[in-house]
Amino acid sequence: MKWSTVRDHYPDKWVLVEAIDATSVNNHRIINEMSVMSDFPDSRQAWSEYKKFHLAEPDREFYIFFTGNETIEVIEHPFLGFRGTI
């Protein structure tokens, strides 16, 4: 689904989505196609469900968005590794 379709089907909801087709451009993740896993009335429930999905399958690309927003933006941050002493 495209973001506009998700917004039409789930108005003013928090949605947990999986990116089906996505690319990276200038440190932004562009999600062309997504699949809605679940919808929620508030963000706490969405985050709780996200954690379950992410722990079970960390290689899949899950996001939480609010459908009241006309656009979505995912900014990529480089992984700098772990800090600490050895």
Side-chain angles (χ1 to χ4, degrees):
M1 263 191 245
K2 302 280 186 201
W3 178 241
S4 59
T5 306
V6 173
R7 291 185 71 226
D8 290 342
H9 283 83
Y10 302 93
D12 295 319
K13 298 278 189 174
W14 291 91
V15 289
L16 172 62
V17 302
E18 179 181 9
I20 303 300
D21 177 33
T23 57
S24 295
V25 177
N26 297 326
N27 295 327
H28 284 80
R29 194 76 175 143
I30 309 300
I31 304 169
N32 301 311
E33 287 289 327
M34 62 187 77
S35 174
V36 176
M37 308 300 288
S38 302
D39 66 286
F40 307 92
D42 68 65
S43 63
R44 288 185 313 248
Q45 292 173 336
W47 277 109
S48 177
E49 194 71 11
Y50 169 87
K51 290 177 206 175
K52 292 176 191 174
F53 274 97
H54 182 67
L55 283 173
E57 300 189 58
D59 294 336
R60 292 171 67 184
E61 196 171 344
F62 298 111
Y63 298 98
I64 296 171
F65 299 119
F66 182 64
T67 60
N69 296 324
E70 287 187 37
T71 61
I72 53 175
E73 181 178 36
V74 179
I75 300 172
E76 296 179 317
H77 296 281
F79 179 68
L80 300 175
F82 296 103
R83 293 185 182 187
T85 57
I86 298 178

Coordinates of all heavy atoms in Angstrom, one line a residue:
M1 N 0.8 -1.2 0.0 CA 0.0 0.0 0.0 C 0.9 1.2 0.0 O 2.0 1.2 0.6 CB -0.8 0.1 1.3 CG -2.2 -0.5 1.2 SD -3.2 0.0 2.7 CE -3.4 -1.7 3.3
K2 N 0.4 2.3 -0.6 CA 1.0 3.6 -0.5 C 0.5 4.3 0.8 O -0.5 3.9 1.3 CB 0.6 4.4 -1.7 CG 1.0 3.8 -3.1 CD 2.4 4.0 -3.3 CE 2.8 3.5 -4.7 NZ 4.1 3.2 -4.9
W3 N 1.3 5.3 1.2 CA 0.9 6.0 2.4 C -0.5 6.7 2.3 O -1.2 6.7 3.2 CB 2.0 7.1 2.8 CG 1.7 7.9 4.0 CD1 1.5 9.2 4.0 CD2 1.4 7.4 5.3 NE1 1.2 9.6 5.3 CE2 1.1 8.5 6.1 CE3 1.5 6.1 5.9 CZ2 0.9 8.4 7.5 CZ3 1.2 6.0 7.2 CH2 0.9 7.1 8.0
S4 N -0.8 7.2 1.2 CA -2.1 7.8 1.0 C -3.2 6.8 1.2 O -4.3 7.1 1.8 CB -2.2 8.5 -0.4 OG -2.0 7.5 -1.4
T5 N -3.0 5.6 0.7 CA -4.1 4.6 0.9 C -4.2 4.2 2.4 O -5.3 4.0 2.9 CB -3.7 3.3 0.1 OG1 -3.5 3.7 -1.3 CG2 -4.8 2.3 0.1
V6 N -3.0 4.1 3.1 CA -3.0 3.7 4.5 C -3.8 4.8 5.2 O -4.7 4.5 6.1 CB -1.6 3.6 5.0 CG1 -1.6 3.5 6.6 CG2 -0.9 2.5 4.4
R7 N -3.6 6.1 4.9 CA -4.3 7.2 5.6 C -5.8 7.1 5.3 O -6.6 7.4 6.2 CB -3.8 8.5 5.1 CG -2.4 8.8 5.5 CD -1.9 10.2 5.1 NE -2.6 11.1 5.9 CZ -3.2 12.2 5.5 NH1 -3.1 12.5 4.2 NH2 -3.8 13.1 6.3
D8 N -6.2 6.7 4.1 CA -7.6 6.6 3.8 C -8.3 5.5 4.6 O -9.4 5.6 5.1 CB -7.8 6.4 2.3 CG -7.5 7.6 1.5 OD1 -7.5 8.7 2.0 OD2 -7.3 7.4 0.3
H9 N -7.6 4.3 4.7 CA -8.2 3.2 5.4 C -8.1 3.2 6.9 O -8.9 2.6 7.6 CB -7.4 1.9 5.0 CG -7.8 1.4 3.6 ND1 -7.3 1.9 2.5 CD2 -8.7 0.5 3.2 CE1 -7.8 1.3 1.4 NE2 -8.7 0.5 1.8
Y10 N -7.2 4.0 7.5 CA -7.0 4.1 8.9 C -6.9 5.5 9.4 O -5.8 6.0 9.8 CB -5.7 3.3 9.3 CG -5.7 1.9 8.9 CD1 -5.1 1.5 7.7 CD2 -6.2 0.9 9.7 CE1 -5.1 0.2 7.3 CE2 -6.2 -0.4 9.4 CZ -5.6 -0.8 8.2 OH -5.6 -2.1 7.8
P11 N -8.0 6.3 9.3 CA -7.9 7.7 9.6 C -7.6 8.0 11.1 O -8.2 7.3 12.0 CB -9.3 8.3 9.2 CG -10.2 7.1 9.2 CD -9.3 5.9 8.9
D12 N -6.7 8.9 11.4 CA -6.3 9.3 12.8 C -6.0 8.1 13.7 O -6.4 8.1 14.8 CB -7.4 10.2 13.4 CG -7.5 11.5 12.6 OD1 -6.5 12.0 12.3 OD2 -8.7 11.9 12.4
K13 N -5.2 7.2 13.2 CA -4.8 6.0 13.9 C -3.3 5.9 13.9 O -2.6 6.5 13.0 CB -5.3 4.7 13.3 CG -6.8 4.6 13.3 CD -7.3 4.1 14.6 CE -8.7 3.8 14.5 NZ -9.3 3.2 15.7
W14 N -2.7 5.3 14.9 CA -1.3 4.9 14.9 C -1.2 3.5 14.2 O -2.0 2.6 14.5 CB -0.8 4.8 16.3 CG -0.7 6.1 17.0 CD1 -1.6 6.7 17.7 CD2 0.4 7.0 16.9 NE1 -1.2 7.9 18.1 CE2 0.1 8.1 17.7 CE3 1.7 7.0 16.3 CZ2 0.9 9.2 17.8 CZ3 2.5 8.0 16.5 CH2 2.1 9.2 17.2
V15 N -0.3 3.4 13.2 CA -0.2 2.2 12.5 C 1.2 1.6 12.6 O 2.2 2.3 12.6 CB -0.6 2.3 11.0 CG1 -2.1 2.5 10.9 CG2 0.1 3.4 10.3
L16 N 1.2 0.3 12.8 CA 2.5 -0.4 12.7 C 2.6 -1.0 11.3 O 1.7 -1.8 10.9 CB 2.5 -1.6 13.7 CG 3.7 -2.5 13.7 CD1 5.0 -1.8 13.9 CD2 3.5 -3.7 14.7
V17 N 3.6 -0.6 10.6 CA 3.7 -1.0 9.2 C 5.1 -1.8 9.0 O 6.0 -1.6 9.7 CB 3.6 0.1 8.2 CG1 2.3 0.9 8.4 CG2 4.8 1.1 8.3
E18 N 5.1 -2.6 7.9 CA 6.3 -3.2 7.5 C 6.6 -2.6 6.1 O 5.7 -2.5 5.2 CB 6.2 -4.7 7.4 CG 7.5 -5.3 6.9 CD 7.4 -6.8 6.7 OE1 6.3 -7.4 6.9 OE2 8.5 -7.4 6.5
A19 N 7.9 -2.1 5.9 CA 8.3 -1.6 4.6 C 8.5 -2.8 3.7 O 9.3 -3.7 4.0 CB 9.6 -0.8 4.7
I20 N 7.7 -2.8 2.6 CA 7.8 -3.9 1.6 C 8.8 -3.5 0.5 O 9.6 -4.3 0.1 CB 6.4 -4.2 1.0 CG1 5.4 -4.5 2.1 CG2 6.5 -5.3 -0.1 CD1 5.8 -5.8 2.9
D21 N 8.8 -2.2 0.1 CA 9.7 -1.7 -0.9 C 10.2 -0.4 -0.4 O 9.4 0.6 -0.2 CB 9.0 -1.6 -2.3 CG 9.9 -0.9 -3.3 OD1 11.1 -1.2 -3.3 OD2 9.3 -0.2 -4.2
A22 N 11.5 -0.3 -0.1 CA 12.1 1.0 0.4 C 13.5 1.2 -0.2 O 14.2 0.2 -0.5 CB 12.1 0.9 1.9
T23 N 13.8 2.4 -0.3 CA 15.2 2.8 -0.7 C 15.7 3.9 0.2 O 15.0 4.6 0.9 CB 15.2 3.3 -2.2 OG1 14.3 4.4 -2.3 CG2 14.7 2.2 -3.1
S24 N 17.0 4.1 0.1 CA 17.7 5.2 0.9 C 18.2 6.2 -0.1 O 18.9 5.9 -1.1 CB 18.9 4.6 1.7 OG 18.4 3.7 2.7
V25 N 17.9 7.5 0.2 CA 18.3 8.6 -0.6 C 18.7 9.7 0.4 O 17.9 10.2 1.2 CB 17.2 9.1 -1.5 CG1 17.7 10.3 -2.3 CG2 16.8 8.0 -2.5
N26 N 20.0 10.1 0.4 CA 20.5 11.2 1.2 C 20.1 11.1 2.7 O 19.5 12.0 3.3 CB 20.0 12.6 0.6 CG 20.6 12.9 -0.7 OD1 21.7 12.5 -1.0 ND2 19.8 13.5 -1.6
N27 N 20.4 10.0 3.3 CA 20.1 9.7 4.7 C 18.6 9.7 5.0 O 18.2 9.9 6.2 CB 20.8 10.7 5.6 CG 22.3 10.5 5.6 OD1 22.8 9.4 5.4 ND2 23.0 11.5 5.7
H28 N 17.7 9.5 4.0 CA 16.3 9.4 4.2 C 15.8 8.0 3.7 O 16.3 7.6 2.6 CB 15.5 10.5 3.5 CG 15.6 11.8 4.2 ND1 16.7 12.7 4.1 CD2 14.7 12.4 5.1 CE1 16.5 13.7 4.8 NE2 15.3 13.6 5.4
R29 N 15.0 7.4 4.4 CA 14.4 6.1 4.0 C 13.1 6.4 3.3 O 12.2 7.0 3.9 CB 14.2 5.2 5.2 CG 14.0 3.8 4.8 CD 15.3 3.1 4.4 NE 15.0 1.7 4.1 CZ 15.6 1.0 3.2 NH1 16.5 1.6 2.4 NH2 15.3 -0.3 3.0
I30 N 13.0 6.1 2.0 CA 11.8 6.3 1.2 C 11.1 5.0 1.2 O 11.6 4.0 0.6 CB 12.2 6.8 -0.2 CG1 13.2 8.0 -0.2 CG2 10.9 7.1 -1.0 CD1 12.7 9.2 0.6
I31 N 9.9 5.0 1.7 CA 9.1 3.8 1.7 C 8.0 3.9 0.6 O 7.1 4.7 0.7 CB 8.4 3.6 3.1 CG1 9.4 3.6 4.2 CG2 7.6 2.3 3.1 CD1 8.9 3.6 5.6
N32 N 8.2 3.1 -0.4 CA 7.3 3.1 -1.6 C 6.1 2.3 -1.4 O 5.0 2.6 -1.8 CB 8.1 2.6 -2.8 CG 9.3 3.5 -3.1 OD1 9.2 4.7 -3.1 ND2 10.5 2.9 -3.3
E33 N 6.3 1.1 -0.8 CA 5.2 0.2 -0.5 C 5.3 -0.3 0.9 O 6.4 -0.6 1.4 CB 5.2 -1.0 -1.4 CG 4.8 -0.7 -2.9 CD 3.3 -0.4 -3.0 OE1 2.5 -1.0 -2.3 OE2 3.0 0.4 -3.9
M34 N 4.1 -0.4 1.6 CA 4.1 -0.8 3.0 C 2.9 -1.7 3.2 O 1.9 -1.7 2.5 CB 4.1 0.3 4.0 CG 2.9 1.2 3.9 SD 3.1 2.7 4.9 CE 4.2 3.7 3.9
S35 N 3.0 -2.5 4.3 CA 1.9 -3.4 4.7 C 1.6 -3.0 6.1 O 2.4 -3.0 7.0 CB 2.4 -4.9 4.6 OG 1.4 -5.7 5.1
V36 N 0.3 -2.8 6.4 CA -0.1 -2.5 7.7 C -0.3 -3.8 8.5 O -1.0 -4.7 8.2 CB -1.5 -1.7 7.7 CG1 -2.0 -1.5 9.1 CG2 -1.4 -0.4 7.0
M37 N 0.5 -3.8 9.6 CA 0.4 -5.0 10.5 C -0.7 -4.9 11.5 O -1.4 -5.9 11.8 CB 1.8 -5.1 11.3 CG 3.0 -5.1 10.4 SD 3.0 -6.4 9.2 CE 3.4 -7.8 10.2
S38 N -0.9 -3.7 12.1 CA -1.9 -3.4 13.1 C -2.2 -1.9 13.1 O -1.3 -1.1 12.7 CB -1.5 -3.9 14.5 OG -1.2 -5.3 14.5
D39 N -3.3 -1.6 13.7 CA -3.6 -0.2 14.0 C -4.0 0.0 15.4 O -4.6 -0.9 16.0 CB -4.7 0.4 13.0 CG -6.0 -0.2 13.2 OD1 -6.2 -1.4 12.8 OD2 -6.9 0.4 13.8
F40 N -3.8 1.2 16.0 CA -4.0 1.4 17.4 C -4.5 2.9 17.6 O -4.2 3.8 16.9 CB -2.6 1.3 18.1 CG -1.9 0.0 17.9 CD1 -1.0 0.0 16.8 CD2 -2.2 -1.1 18.6 CE1 -0.3 -1.2 16.5 CE2 -1.5 -2.3 18.3 CZ -0.6 -2.3 17.3
P41 N -5.3 3.0 18.7 CA -5.8 4.4 19.0 C -4.8 5.3 19.7 O -4.9 6.5 19.7 CB -7.0 4.1 20.0 CG -6.7 2.8 20.6 CD -5.9 2.0 19.6
D42 N -3.7 4.7 20.3 CA -2.7 5.5 20.9 C -1.3 4.9 20.7 O -1.1 3.7 20.4 CB -2.9 5.7 22.4 CG -2.8 4.5 23.2 OD1 -1.7 3.9 23.3 OD2 -3.8 4.0 23.8
S43 N -0.3 5.7 20.8 CA 1.1 5.3 20.5 C 1.7 4.3 21.4 O 2.5 3.5 21.0 CB 2.0 6.6 20.4 OG 2.1 7.2 21.7
R44 N 1.3 4.3 22.7 CA 1.8 3.3 23.7 C 1.6 1.9 23.2 O 2.4 1.0 23.3 CB 1.3 3.6 25.1 CG 1.8 4.8 25.7 CD 1.3 4.9 27.1 NE -0.1 4.7 27.1 CZ -1.0 5.6 27.4 NH1 -0.7 6.8 27.7 NH2 -2.3 5.3 27.4
Q45 N 0.3 1.7 22.8 CA 0.0 0.3 22.3 C 0.8 0.0 21.1 O 1.2 -1.2 20.9 CB -1.5 0.2 22.0 CG -2.4 0.3 23.3 CD -3.9 0.4 22.9 OE1 -4.2 0.8 21.8 NE2 -4.7 0.0 23.8
A46 N 1.0 0.9 20.2 CA 1.7 0.7 19.0 C 3.2 0.3 19.3 O 3.7 -0.6 18.7 CB 1.7 1.9 18.1
W47 N 3.8 1.0 20.2 CA 5.2 0.7 20.6 C 5.3 -0.6 21.2 O 6.3 -1.4 21.0 CB 5.8 1.8 21.5 CG 6.2 3.0 20.7 CD1 5.7 4.2 20.6 CD2 7.4 3.0 19.8 NE1 6.4 5.0 19.7 CE2 7.4 4.3 19.2 CE3 8.3 2.0 19.4 CZ2 8.4 4.6 18.3 CZ3 9.3 2.4 18.5 CH2 9.3 3.7 18.0
S48 N 4.3 -1.0 22.0 CA 4.4 -2.3 22.7 C 4.3 -3.4 21.7 O 5.1 -4.4 21.7 CB 3.2 -2.4 23.7 OG 3.1 -3.7 24.2
E49 N 3.5 -3.3 20.7 CA 3.4 -4.3 19.6 C 4.6 -4.3 18.7 O 5.1 -5.3 18.3 CB 2.1 -4.0 18.8 CG 1.7 -5.1 17.9 CD 1.2 -6.3 18.6 OE1 0.9 -6.3 19.8 OE2 1.0 -7.4 18.0
Y50 N 5.2 -3.1 18.5 CA 6.4 -3.0 17.7 C 7.5 -3.8 18.3 O 8.2 -4.5 17.6 CB 6.8 -1.5 17.5 CG 8.2 -1.3 17.0 CD1 8.4 -1.3 15.6 CD2 9.3 -1.2 17.8 CE1 9.7 -1.1 15.1 CE2 10.6 -1.1 17.3 CZ 10.8 -1.0 15.9 OH 12.0 -0.9 15.4
K51 N 7.7 -3.6 19.6 CA 8.7 -4.3 20.3 C 8.6 -5.9 20.1 O 9.6 -6.6 19.9 CB 8.7 -4.0 21.8 CG 9.1 -2.6 22.1 CD 9.0 -2.3 23.6 CE 8.8 -0.9 23.8 NZ 8.6 -0.6 25.3
K52 N 7.4 -6.4 20.2 CA 7.1 -7.8 20.0 C 7.6 -8.3 18.6 O 8.3 -9.2 18.5 CB 5.7 -8.1 20.3 CG 5.2 -8.0 21.7 CD 3.8 -8.3 21.8 CE 3.2 -7.8 23.2 NZ 1.8 -8.0 23.2
F53 N 7.1 -7.5 17.6 CA 7.4 -7.9 16.2 C 8.9 -7.8 16.0 O 9.5 -8.6 15.4 CB 6.7 -6.9 15.2 CG 5.3 -7.4 14.9 CD1 4.2 -6.8 15.5 CD2 5.1 -8.3 13.9 CE1 3.0 -7.2 15.2 CE2 3.9 -8.7 13.5 CZ 2.8 -8.2 14.2
H54 N 9.6 -6.7 16.5 CA 11.0 -6.5 16.3 C 11.8 -7.5 17.0 O 12.8 -8.0 16.4 CB 11.4 -5.1 16.7 CG 12.8 -4.8 16.4 ND1 13.3 -4.6 15.2 CD2 13.9 -4.6 17.3 CE1 14.6 -4.4 15.2 NE2 15.0 -4.3 16.5
L55 N 11.5 -7.9 18.2 CA 12.2 -8.9 18.9 C 12.1 -10.3 18.2 O 13.1 -11.0 18.1 CB 11.8 -9.1 20.3 CG 12.2 -8.0 21.3 CD1 11.6 -8.1 22.6 CD2 13.8 -8.0 21.4
A56 N 10.9 -10.6 17.7 CA 10.7 -11.9 17.0 C 11.4 -11.9 15.6 O 11.9 -13.0 15.2 CB 9.2 -12.1 16.8
E57 N 11.5 -10.8 14.9 CA 12.0 -10.8 13.6 C 12.8 -9.5 13.3 O 12.3 -8.6 12.6 CB 11.0 -11.0 12.5 CG 10.2 -12.3 12.7 CD 9.3 -12.6 11.5 OE1 9.8 -12.6 10.4 OE2 8.1 -12.7 11.8
P58 N 14.0 -9.4 13.9 CA 14.8 -8.1 13.8 C 15.2 -7.7 12.4 O 15.6 -6.6 12.2 CB 16.0 -8.3 14.7 CG 16.1 -9.8 14.9 CD 14.7 -10.4 14.7
D59 N 15.2 -8.7 11.5 CA 15.7 -8.4 10.1 C 14.6 -7.7 9.3 O 14.9 -7.2 8.2 CB 16.1 -9.6 9.4 CG 17.4 -10.2 10.0 OD1 18.1 -9.5 10.7 OD2 17.6 -11.4 9.9
R60 N 13.4 -7.7 9.7 CA 12.3 -7.0 9.0 C 12.3 -5.6 9.3 O 12.7 -5.2 10.4 CB 11.0 -7.7 9.3 CG 10.9 -9.1 8.7 CD 9.7 -9.9 9.1 NE 8.5 -9.4 8.6 CZ 7.3 -9.9 8.9 NH1 7.2 -10.9 9.8 NH2 6.2 -9.4 8.4
E61 N 11.7 -4.8 8.5 CA 11.8 -3.3 8.6 C 10.4 -2.8 9.0 O 9.5 -2.6 8.2 CB 12.2 -2.7 7.2 CG 12.6 -1.3 7.3 CD 13.2 -0.8 6.0 OE1 13.5 -1.7 5.1 OE2 13.3 0.4 5.8
F62 N 10.2 -2.6 10.3 CA 8.9 -2.1 10.9 C 9.0 -0.6 11.3 O 10.1 -0.2 11.7 CB 8.6 -2.9 12.2 CG 8.4 -4.4 11.9 CD1 9.3 -5.3 12.4 CD2 7.3 -4.8 11.2 CE1 9.1 -6.7 12.2 CE2 7.1 -6.2 11.0 CZ 8.0 -7.1 11.5
Y63 N 7.9 0.1 11.2 CA 7.8 1.5 11.6 C 6.4 1.7 12.2 O 5.5 1.0 11.9 CB 7.9 2.4 10.3 CG 9.3 2.3 9.7 CD1 9.4 1.5 8.5 CD2 10.4 3.0 10.2 CE1 10.7 1.4 7.9 CE2 11.6 2.9 9.5 CZ 11.7 2.1 8.4 OH 13.0 2.0 7.8
I64 N 6.4 2.8 13.0 CA 5.1 3.3 13.5 C 4.9 4.7 13.0 O 5.8 5.5 13.1 CB 5.1 3.3 15.1 CG1 5.3 1.8 15.6 CG2 3.8 3.9 15.6 CD1 5.5 1.8 17.1
F65 N 3.7 4.9 12.5 CA 3.3 6.2 11.9 C 1.9 6.6 12.4 O 1.1 5.7 12.7 CB 3.4 6.3 10.4 CG 4.7 5.9 9.8 CD1 4.8 4.8 9.0 CD2 5.8 6.7 10.0 CE1 6.0 4.5 8.4 CE2 7.0 6.5 9.4 CZ 7.1 5.3 8.6
F66 N 1.7 7.9 12.5 CA 0.3 8.4 12.8 C -0.3 8.9 11.5 O 0.3 9.7 10.7 CB 0.4 9.6 13.8 CG -0.9 10.1 14.1 CD1 -1.8 9.3 14.8 CD2 -1.3 11.4 13.8 CE1 -3.1 9.8 15.2 CE2 -2.6 11.9 14.1 CZ -3.5 11.1 14.8
T67 N -1.5 8.4 11.2 CA -2.1 8.6 9.9 C -2.6 10.1 9.7 O -3.1 10.4 8.7 CB -3.2 7.6 9.5 OG1 -4.2 7.7 10.6 CG2 -2.6 6.2 9.5
G68 N -2.6 10.8 10.8 CA -3.0 12.2 10.7 C -2.0 13.1 10.0 O -2.3 14.2 9.6
N69 N -0.8 12.5 9.8 CA 0.3 13.2 9.1 C 0.1 13.0 7.6 O 0.0 11.8 7.2 CB 1.6 12.8 9.6 CG 1.9 13.1 11.0 OD1 1.5 14.2 11.5 ND2 2.6 12.2 11.7
E70 N 0.2 14.0 6.8 CA 0.1 13.9 5.4 C 1.2 13.1 4.7 O 1.1 12.4 3.8 CB -0.1 15.2 4.7 CG -1.4 15.9 5.0 CD -1.6 17.1 4.2 OE1 -1.1 17.2 3.0 OE2 -2.2 18.1 4.7
T71 N 2.4 13.3 5.3 CA 3.6 12.7 4.8 C 4.3 11.9 5.9 O 4.1 12.2 7.1 CB 4.6 13.7 4.1 OG1 5.0 14.6 5.1 CG2 3.9 14.4 3.0
I72 N 5.2 11.0 5.5 CA 6.0 10.3 6.5 C 7.5 10.6 6.2 O 7.9 10.8 5.0 CB 5.8 8.8 6.5 CG1 5.9 8.2 5.1 CG2 4.4 8.5 7.1 CD1 5.8 6.7 5.1
E73 N 8.3 10.7 7.2 CA 9.7 10.9 7.0 C 10.5 10.0 8.0 O 10.3 10.0 9.2 CB 10.1 12.4 7.3 CG 11.5 12.7 7.1 CD 11.8 14.2 7.4 OE1 11.2 14.8 8.3 OE2 12.7 14.7 6.7
V74 N 11.4 9.3 7.4 CA 12.3 8.4 8.2 C 13.7 8.8 7.9 O 14.2 8.7 6.7 CB 12.1 6.9 7.8 CG1 13.1 6.0 8.6 CG2 10.7 6.5 8.0
I75 N 14.4 9.3 8.9 CA 15.8 9.8 8.8 C 16.7 8.7 9.3 O 16.5 8.2 10.4 CB 16.0 11.1 9.5 CG1 15.1 12.2 9.0 CG2 17.5 11.5 9.4 CD1 15.1 13.4 9.8
E76 N 17.7 8.3 8.4 CA 18.6 7.3 8.8 C 19.8 7.9 9.6 O 20.3 8.9 9.2 CB 19.2 6.6 7.6 CG 18.1 5.8 6.8 CD 18.7 5.2 5.6 OE1 19.5 5.8 4.8 OE2 18.3 4.0 5.3
H77 N 20.2 7.2 10.7 CA 21.3 7.6 11.4 C 22.3 6.4 11.4 O 22.0 5.3 11.6 CB 20.9 7.8 12.9 CG 20.0 9.0 13.1 ND1 20.4 10.3 13.0 CD2 18.7 9.0 13.2 CE1 19.4 11.1 13.2 NE2 18.3 10.3 13.3
P78 N 23.6 6.8 11.1 CA 24.6 5.7 11.0 C 24.8 5.1 12.4 O 24.8 5.8 13.4 CB 25.8 6.4 10.5 CG 25.6 7.8 10.8 CD 24.1 8.1 10.8
F79 N 25.0 3.8 12.4 CA 25.3 3.0 13.6 C 26.8 3.3 13.9 O 27.7 3.0 13.1 CB 25.0 1.5 13.5 CG 25.4 0.7 14.7 CD1 24.6 0.9 15.8 CD2 26.4 -0.1 14.7 CE1 24.9 0.2 17.0 CE2 26.7 -0.9 15.8 CZ 26.0 -0.7 17.0
L80 N 27.1 3.8 15.1 CA 28.5 4.2 15.4 C 29.1 3.1 16.3 O 30.3 3.3 16.7 CB 28.5 5.5 16.1 CG 28.0 6.7 15.3 CD1 27.9 8.0 16.2 CD2 28.8 6.9 14.1
G81 N 28.4 2.1 16.6 CA 28.9 1.0 17.5 C 28.6 1.2 18.9 O 27.9 2.1 19.3
F82 N 29.2 0.4 19.7 CA 29.0 0.4 21.2 C 30.1 1.2 21.8 O 31.3 1.0 21.4 CB 28.9 -1.0 21.7 CG 27.7 -1.8 21.2 CD1 27.9 -2.7 20.3 CD2 26.4 -1.5 21.7 CE1 26.8 -3.4 19.8 CE2 25.4 -2.2 21.2 CZ 25.5 -3.2 20.2
R83 N 29.8 1.9 22.9 CA 30.8 2.6 23.6 C 31.1 1.9 24.9 O 30.2 1.2 25.5 CB 30.3 4.0 23.9 CG 30.2 4.9 22.7 CD 29.9 6.3 23.1 NE 29.7 7.0 21.9 CZ 29.5 8.3 21.8 NH1 29.5 9.0 22.9 NH2 29.4 9.0 20.7
G84 N 32.2 2.0 25.4 CA 32.6 1.4 26.7 C 34.0 0.9 26.7 O 34.7 1.1 25.7
T85 N 34.5 0.4 27.8 CA 35.9 0.0 27.9 C 35.9 -1.5 27.7 O 35.0 -2.2 28.0 CB 36.5 0.4 29.2 OG1 35.7 -0.2 30.3 CG2 36.5 1.9 29.4
I86 N 37.0 -2.0 27.2 CA 37.2 -3.4 27.0 C 38.2 -3.9 28.1 O 39.1 -3.4 28.5 CB 37.8 -3.7 25.6 CG1 36.8 -3.2 24.6 CG2 38.1 -5.2 25.5 CD1 37.3 -3.4 23.2

